[in-house]
């Protein structure tokens, strides 16, 4: 009788696993391939990427956008970089950052209203500055201004700071799509007095096809409201609009805590999963939109439970295109640091835990960025 052999595929890239040719797709070390009981196997290539978190999540900017940034660099403009505090950790396009890294820079960390009120704002500003430094842009916490749209109408200090820092040069408001640039500049316009004969216009930036709102500041300088960089690594980019909306918090985030033992998982709706693969019992706290319903699972086959939960509608929210293990990318995160740490998912929020040598396994829709970091909001206990 013919023998039926199971063909095993890499859990991440789907290549058929083989232990013959290290240069060919799907190569896996023979000793790992022999682990017949392992439910999930990765080819060596994917395993290395996941272990060291090296997947390339970089964003790219259009040539027109880079032309505009080269102008900003050449004219010694003030670059006002607006970030969405909920999720900006993977929103640094390196090609753009390289161009403006030597400019004077002010960071507006926007949507402060979404984070809990009683947090240490100095620590938060230092966290934002640290993420910029990780993107190789020199920023100190003194360059970071926390803002939210509803506080700007009665707080003029931000506009004064911009005016002082620009030293009569142009100002470019840059940042990812949806960070809040246009709303911030609309707040600016509400108290703006045009002292020049020029008008506020939206027209193509010189030499490009980019429609840019241009606000005259004096006879020779402008503020430019630039179009945002598309967040191609954000979960919202990979979901239908109706589901993406559910991932974005509409009010202050209420952290939710769960205790995980090795083998336990936390399902974040039907959109992502976090498993404590190895390590001591760990308290994790999820910071995300209240429309994402976390469910802690403790059983032998969490994957089957996850897929069943998606099909039955027990997990919320779900997305029609996310219903098979192959639709998710898988990362292993080996925690080496101690203290409060975060594992975040671009556009989706983050979990906080105390680093204790754990290994987490995280499943996110393919193409969505994952990061690890010191904690954005360390536990005050
Ligand atoms: N909660 C909260 N939401 C904000 C704040 N500022 C802006 N938003 C929301 O963020 C979304 C995007 O704001 P925009 O000002 O259009 O963002 P943008 O940076 O100009 O986006 P692009 O033009 O696509 O680059 C809108 O839905 C705003 O309501 C804020 O301070 N807090
Ligand atoms: Mg805009």
């Amino acid at each position: 009788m013919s023998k039926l052999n199971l063909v095993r595929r890499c859990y991440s890239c789907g290549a058929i696993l083989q232990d013959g040719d290290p240069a060919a797709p799907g190569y896996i070390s023979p000793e790992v391939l022999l682990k017949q009981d392992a439910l999930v196997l990765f080819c060596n290539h994917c395993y290395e990427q996941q272990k060291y978190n090296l997947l390339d999540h970089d964003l790219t900017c259009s040539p027109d956008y880079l032309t505009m940034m080269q102008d900003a660099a050449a004219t010694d403009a003030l670059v006002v970089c607006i970030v969405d505090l909920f999720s900006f950790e993977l929103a640094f396009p390196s090609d753009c950052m390289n161009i403006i890294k030597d400019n004077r820079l002010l960071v507006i960390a926007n949507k402060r209203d979404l984070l809990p009120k009683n947090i240490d704002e100095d620590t938060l500003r230092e966290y934002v500055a640290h993420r910029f430094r990780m993107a190789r842009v020199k920023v100190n916490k003194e360059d970071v201004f926390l803002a939210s749209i509803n506080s700007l109408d009665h707080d003029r200090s931000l506009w004064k700071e911009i005016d002082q820092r620009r030293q009569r040069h142009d100002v470019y408001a840059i940042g990812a799509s949806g960070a809040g640039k246009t709303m911030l500049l609309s707040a600016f316009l509400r108290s703006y007095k045009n002292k020049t004969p020029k008008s506020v216009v939206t027209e193509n930036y010189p030499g490009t096809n980019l429609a840019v709102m241009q606000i005259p500041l004096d006879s020779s300088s402008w503020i430019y409201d630039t179009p945002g960089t598309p967040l191609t690594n954000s979960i919202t980019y990979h979901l239908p609009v109706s589901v993406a909306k559910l991932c974005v918090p509409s009010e202050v985030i209420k952290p939710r805590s769960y205790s995980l033992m090795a083998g336990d998982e936390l399902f974040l709706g039907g959109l992502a999963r976090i498993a404590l693969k190895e390590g001591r019992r760990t308290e994790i706290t999820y910071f995300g939109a209240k429309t994402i319903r976390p469910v802690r699972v403790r059983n032998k086959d969490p994957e089957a439970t996850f897929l069943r939960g998606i099909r039955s509608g027990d997990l919320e929210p779900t997305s029609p295109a996310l219903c098979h293990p192959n639709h998710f990318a898988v990362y292993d995160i080996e925690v080496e640091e101690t203290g409060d740490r975060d594992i975040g998912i671009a556009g989706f929020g983050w979990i906080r835990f105390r680093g204790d040598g754990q290994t987490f396994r995280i499943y996110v829709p393919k193409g969505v960025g994952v990061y690890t970091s010191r904690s954005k909001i360390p536990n005050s206990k």
Side-chain angles (χ1 to χ4, degrees), residues 26-138:
Y27 177 75
I28 183 168
S29 316
E31 62 277 15
V32 185
L33 190 57
L34 281 177
K35 284 190 191 162
Q36 292 296 331
D37 56 336
L39 285 171
V40 178
L41 287 174
F42 298 91
C43 68
N44 282 18
H45 176 71
C46 292
Y47 181 75
E48 287 300 303
Q49 284 185 320
Q50 282 141 15
K51 183 174 169 196
Y52 298 110
N53 203 17
L54 290 178
L55 276 193
D56 184 7
H57 295 305
D58 201 4
L59 306 175
T60 46
C61 299
S62 68
D64 274 359
Y65 191 86
L66 297 178
T67 302
M68 184 171 61
M69 291 298 97
Q70 269 148 1
D71 269 7
T75 57
D76 200 16
L78 173 69
V79 174
V80 175
C81 202
I82 293 138
V83 300
D84 173 349
L85 270 173
F86 174 59
S87 183
F88 68 95
E89 286 76 359
L90 296 176
F92 294 97
S94 55
D95 44 6
C96 165
M97 291 294 151
N98 271 338
I99 297 174
I100 50 97
K101 66 177 189 310
D102 295 324
N103 279 65
R104 279 166 294 135
L105 213 88
L106 177 76
V107 176
I108 303 182
N110 192 33
K111 311 195 188 180
R112 166 70 185 88
D113 54 298
L114 296 178
L115 303 191
K117 277 203 173 58
N118 57 344
I119 56 176
D120 181 350
E121 295 202 332
D122 237 26
T123 307
L124 182 59
R125 284 162 57 232
E126 174 49 33
Y127 172 86
V128 174
H130 166 72
R131 292 305 305 188
F132 272 82
R133 293 195 296 268
M134 300 269 292
R136 300 199 180 82
V137 181
K138 202 168 153 265

Side-chain angles (χ1 to χ4, degrees), residues 253-270:
I253 296 168
K254 291 206 175 72
R256 286 166 280 179
S257 295
Y258 305 85
S259 179
L260 296 192
M261 296 199 300
D264 290 355
E265 294 204 5
L266 190 72
F267 297 166
L268 298 171

Side-chain angles (χ1 to χ4, degrees), residues 110-111 113-114 148-149 176-183 227-228:
N110 192 33
K111 311 195 188 180
D113 54 298
L114 296 178
S148 69
I149 200 67
S177 185
K181 299 176 291 299
T182 301
M183 292 204 76

